[in-house]
Amino acid sequence: MKVFLPELFPSIISKFPRKQFLISRFVFLGNGFRTSLANVFSLCYDAFRQPVLAMDIREIAKRAKVSTATVSRAINRIPTVDPQLAKRVWKVVDELGYYPNTQARALVSGKSRILGLVVSEITNPFFPEIVQTFEELAVQNDYEILLTSTVHDTKRMKSSVRRMIERRVDGVAILTFGMEEALLDDLRLRKVPLVFVDVGPDAPHVSNIRIDYQHGLRQAVQHLAAFRHKTIAFVAGPTHLKSALARKEAFEKAMGELSLEVAPEMIVVGDHTLEGGMRALEELMRLRKPPTAVLCSNDMTAIGVMREAYDLGLSVPRDLSVVGFDDIRLSEFITPPLTTVQMSQTELARIAFEALMNEVAEETAAGGRREYHLNTNLILRRSTALAASGATGAKISAD
């Protein structure tokens, strides 16, 4: 039995150029139907592809009755283009469903309109809001973003840098709170604008966002002291992160300002994870004189501390006060809601984007690094309370 393609796909065939040629090829014979069907769709794809490839700015210029130069300037949103001509061009573009070749545009203009965004770990709840805000700002300004999560892997960072160079990014925001600067030499040599948090080198095309950790942590320590806590522990972050070291130093300075002692055993090195917070509290509760309050280097650690407190039969905040750092969205919805030092992710993303835009807009590089500042503030919720009268901490005996 013969089955002819026009009987199966009349609407498709009617749109193809050289219909007779195609029809002569699309004949199926009995058992060969299944094998031949793949060839049919392959040929269909090729036939559709031909007019798409032919659609370029010359066709748009012809239909809009303007020059190709006008089309190019309109598509690239050059402000000197006559608004009426630009309107005609975009009307034809929309009718044809034309999408400009961004790589070709980058070669002509020298601008890819792509920004790189590097974060440490996308699964960390601190980063999604940064990514969302940064992308929203990029879209509003007709930019795309190339996102990469390093997961603290040097090889992965190298691969990401290479990918960004290949895509000719206009600038990169490195919001990892600490990264080996040598890995970014390739970007610096190509004069790609860079934005760092805390660790930006003093060089042209570099912006640095300086976080004022001291302000928020001073407020946190003063808050706990006002609640009569004297034995206050601190769960620090990884020692290789400059931001984690800065938070630890800010805590120690704030304690010193109130003449509160910081015993060495009251500083526990964590890893900014839930599990790290759990391990830290277990270690602290085995001390001869456990703390009555725990201040943590980030919210994930604080949530882990609260979970371990629950497992140990401790009530937060009656038996133990807990303070976090970051103010991730989750911190407001745990039980009890977490008192924390806010470092606004939305504001951080906004500053990073504006810093890149300032660098991209500059015709010549400034003499050195540009500094931006982000403040921190204590957000009071319900994970802190008065220290129990005469309390020295709820000691957990060894098994």
Side-chain angles (χ1 to χ4, degrees), residues 205-241:
H205 302 290
V206 170
S207 298
N208 189 60
I209 304 173
R210 185 73 61 190
I211 311 294
D212 184 359
Y213 300 108
Q214 192 67 57
H215 187 262
L217 285 167
R218 179 184 289 117
Q219 289 180 328
V221 170
Q222 290 175 347
H223 169 68
L224 292 173
F227 274 161
R228 301 175 188 168
H229 292 280
K230 295 181 180 179
T231 312
I232 304 172
F234 185 77
V235 183
T239 55
H240 68 271
L241 287 182

Side-chain angles (χ1 to χ4, degrees), residues 232-272:
I232 304 172
F234 185 77
V235 183
T239 55
H240 68 271
L241 287 182
K242 292 183 181 179
S243 60
L245 294 175
R247 296 175 199 193
K248 171 178 168 289
E249 290 169 1
F251 165 77
E252 292 172 332
K253 182 178 179 181
M255 291 285 283
E257 290 172 352
L258 297 179
S259 300
L260 293 174
E261 180 187 359
V262 183
E265 63 270 19
M266 287 293 159
I267 304 286
V268 178
V269 177
D271 57 8
H272 281 174

Side-chain angles (χ1 to χ4, degrees), residues 119-121 124 127 149-157 176-179 238 240-241 271-272:
V119 298
S120 302
E121 196 172 356
N124 184 328
F127 289 107
S149 176
T150 67
V151 293
H152 307 289
D153 185 332
T154 301
K155 290 183 179 179
R156 187 163 176 169
M157 181 64 180
T176 57
F177 293 83
M179 179 55 65
H240 68 271
L241 287 182
D271 57 8
H272 281 174

Side-chain angles (χ1 to χ4, degrees), residues 97-341:
Y98 173 76
Y99 292 92
N101 185 324
T102 55
Q103 291 180 333
R105 286 170 61 185
L107 288 172
V108 173
S109 68
K111 301 291 183 183
S112 66
R113 302 203 72 81
I114 299 174
L115 297 175
L117 177 59
V118 183
V119 298
S120 302
E121 196 172 356
I122 197 63
T123 55
N124 184 328
F126 177 79
F127 289 107
E129 192 168 346
I130 289 177
V131 173
Q132 181 176 342
T133 302
F134 194 92
E135 184 178 29
E136 285 176 355
L137 291 169
V139 170
Q140 290 170 16
N141 289 271
D142 197 28
Y143 275 85
E144 300 175 55
I145 69 167
L146 182 58
L147 173 67
T148 186
S149 176
T150 67
V151 293
H152 307 289
D153 185 332
T154 301
K155 290 183 179 179
R156 187 163 176 169
M157 181 64 180
K158 286 181 179 178
S159 173
S160 299
V161 169
R162 184 170 60 250
R163 196 154 46 97
M164 289 178 182
I165 292 171
E166 290 170 353
R167 295 291 297 275
R168 307 173 77 91
V169 293
D170 293 339
V172 183
I174 301 104
L175 306 185
T176 57
F177 293 83
M179 179 55 65
E180 182 57 48
E181 294 171 11
L183 296 179
L184 303 166
D185 283 345
D186 284 341
L187 288 169
R188 296 221 306 261
L189 287 173
R190 286 166 172 78
K191 299 181 180 179
V192 176
L194 303 174
V195 175
F196 295 85
V197 178
D198 288 328
V199 298
D202 189 5
H205 302 290
V206 170
S207 298
N208 189 60
I209 304 173
R210 185 73 61 190
I211 311 294
D212 184 359
Y213 300 108
Q214 192 67 57
H215 187 262
L217 285 167
R218 179 184 289 117
Q219 289 180 328
V221 170
Q222 290 175 347
H223 169 68
L224 292 173
F227 274 161
R228 301 175 188 168
H229 292 280
K230 295 181 180 179
T231 312
I232 304 172
F234 185 77
V235 183
T239 55
H240 68 271
L241 287 182
K242 292 183 181 179
S243 60
L245 294 175
R247 296 175 199 193
K248 171 178 168 289
E249 290 169 1
F251 165 77
E252 292 172 332
K253 182 178 179 181
M255 291 285 283
E257 290 172 352
L258 297 179
S259 300
L260 293 174
E261 180 187 359
V262 183
E265 63 270 19
M266 287 293 159
I267 304 286
V268 178
V269 177
D271 57 8
H272 281 174
T273 66
L274 297 168
E275 295 80 5
M278 295 178 69
R279 291 191 296 268
L281 185 65
E282 183 180 21
E283 180 180 335
L284 288 167
M285 287 297 108
R286 295 189 186 280
L287 296 174
R288 184 181 61 81
K289 187 180 178 182
T292 60
V294 179
L295 206 161
C296 302
S297 185
N298 77 341
D299 285 347
M300 295 295 283
T301 299
I303 294 170
V305 165
M306 292 172 69
R307 165 59 192 272
E308 183 65 16
Y310 174 83
D311 288 349
L312 294 175
L314 301 175
S315 173
V316 175
R318 186 188 64 204
D319 300 324
L320 182 72
S321 287
V322 180
V323 179
F325 193 104
D326 284 341
D327 191 30
I328 60 175
R329 184 160 173 75
L330 179 63
S331 65
E332 188 177 354
F333 297 96
I334 60 174
T335 303
L338 179 65
T339 291
T340 185
V341 176

